Amino acid sequence: MPPKARRAFLLAQLEGLTYAEIAQQLGVSVSMIKQYMLRATQQCYFSLSF
């Protein structure tokens, strides 16, 4: 998983930040955070699938 996608996922899941807060912290747009979250969620799903 790309480092920024991983960071966005962890900030959302562990620290409970909003997408806007994560975007501001990482210096990217909210739409990019949505893409990161989609990629991270898909990767987690596929990693857990049999």
Side-chain angles (χ1 to χ4, degrees):
M1 179 180 319
K4 282 192 177 182
R6 182 178 190 278
R7 182 79 176 134
F9 185 77
L10 292 176
L11 287 171
Q13 297 300 314
L14 298 179
E15 298 187 26
L17 298 181
T18 66
Y19 287 3
E21 292 169 330
I22 297 168
Q24 184 178 20
Q25 191 167 348
L26 296 181
V28 298
S29 67
V30 173
S31 62
M32 184 56 80
I33 296 301
K34 289 178 183 179
Q35 289 179 19
Y36 288 160
M37 294 301 290
L38 177 62
R39 290 180 197 154
T41 303
Q42 287 175 335
Q43 184 148 0
C44 289
Y45 175 79
F46 291 126
S47 294
L48 295 173
S49 296
F50 291 57

